Amino acid sequence: MITESLLISFGAEIKDYKAEDIIFREEESPMYYYQIEKGKIKLNNYTEDGKEFIQNIFSDGQSFGESLLFVNRPYPMNAVAMEDSSVFRIPRQNFLDLIRNNPEVSLSVYECLAERMYYKYIMLYNLSFQNPVSKLKLLMDYLKSYHEEKTPYSFQVPLTRQQLASLTGLRVETVIRTIKQMEKDQMVKIERRKIYY
């Protein structure tokens, strides 16, 4: 995360988005570095039949789409506000100047990109699974790995069943059925519709 004062000193502005507003579209050219002040943003695509596939979900303090600022290629995904959100936006060249002039920020950006690559490897591996339990368990293991408490049921999965479906390529009905089965098998606990892993 780049500090707000540093972003502003390099020309960042805050843009407000309503839930469902599109921040950028697939095939557009990357023009800005984006960092969420508050809110939740998803990166997604749609299949030919209109089914949504969520690539990732970001929240307060996280950046998104920055890897495309280093290559001259269009966005391969959309960025959509999931709730009312405020996002810092800094022009591409200003962002590149910022990281050139601030080596500690540059290292932080590299770490963030490496973490994103790790997530992509996990999710790519996830696509090879046919078993929905394996798909959901791998995603939950990844999410819980950032949570300090590792005991069973100590982690509340911060995603809806629809979001779990969109992240794993499963149908929402399959996710609902699978979560119930995972509860019977004592892999998860459900309390007030919240999933604990």
Side-chain angles (χ1 to χ4, degrees):
M1 179 174 136
I2 302 172
T3 64
E4 294 180 14
S5 58
L6 188 56
L7 286 171
I8 290 167
S9 73
F10 276 83
E13 60 181 353
I14 291 185
K15 296 277 289 178
D16 293 319
Y17 297 94
K18 298 283 184 206
E20 301 303 317
D21 279 356
I22 296 171
I23 298 162
F24 58 74
R25 285 185 164 80
E26 195 173 341
E27 298 302 319
E28 287 181 351
S29 294
M31 306 281 288
Y32 298 97
Y33 168 83
Y34 297 96
Q35 184 172 299
I36 304 165
E37 180 191 38
K38 64 179 176 58
K40 196 178 280 189
I41 308 296
K42 64 182 172 183
L43 299 183
N44 73 0
N45 298 96
Y46 294 95
T47 61
E48 291 173 357
D49 60 357
K51 182 181 175 188
E52 181 183 37
F53 178 76
I54 297 177
Q55 292 192 20
N56 213 332
I57 297 173
F58 301 100
S59 57
D60 300 8
Q62 294 183 301
S63 58
F64 57 94
E66 66 274 22
S67 62
L68 278 298
L69 295 173
F70 297 101
V71 293
N72 190 20
R73 297 196 182 273
Y75 287 115
M77 72 292 203
N78 308 297
V80 182
M82 297 176 71
E83 61 189 34
D84 291 354
S85 302
S86 295
V87 178
F88 284 101
R89 185 176 89 163
I90 181 171
R92 178 181 183 269
Q93 190 56 55
N94 296 34
F95 170 70
L96 295 175
D97 291 343
L98 187 158
I99 61 172
R100 271 190 209 101
N101 294 315
N102 295 276
E104 72 286 352
V105 172
S106 193
L107 182 59
S108 169
V109 169
Y110 297 149
E111 288 171 354
C112 178
L113 293 175
E115 189 60 47
R116 302 270 168 81
M117 286 299 299
Y118 178 74
Y119 172 77
K120 292 289 185 192
Y121 292 140
I122 293 286
M123 295 311 288
L124 188 60
Y125 178 54
N126 200 347
L127 292 175
S128 70
F129 292 132
Q130 298 301 313
N131 181 340
V133 170
S134 298
K135 285 180 177 280
L136 290 171
K137 185 176 180 324
L138 186 67
L139 177 58
M140 289 180 196
D141 283 340
Y142 173 78
L143 294 171
K144 190 173 182 174
S145 72
Y146 293 96
H147 188 65
E148 285 184 28
E149 183 62 50
K150 303 297 184 202
T151 58
Y153 317 126
S154 62
F155 175 68
Q156 182 186 328
V157 177
L159 303 169
T160 66
R161 284 143 179 85
Q162 179 61 62
Q163 291 165 345
L164 288 168
S166 296
L167 281 163
T168 57
L170 297 168
R171 297 178 64 229
V172 70
E173 298 82 7
T174 304
V175 168
I176 292 167
R177 219 173 25 254
T178 304
I179 293 293
K180 286 179 183 172
Q181 183 59 51
M182 290 173 78
E183 183 181 35
K184 282 180 190 168
D185 295 340
Q186 299 182 343
M187 296 172 77
V188 299
K189 189 189 312 185
I190 301 172
E191 291 178 4
R192 292 192 209 106
R193 296 196 34 79
K194 303 286 187 197
I195 304 166
Y196 293 88
Y197 180 65

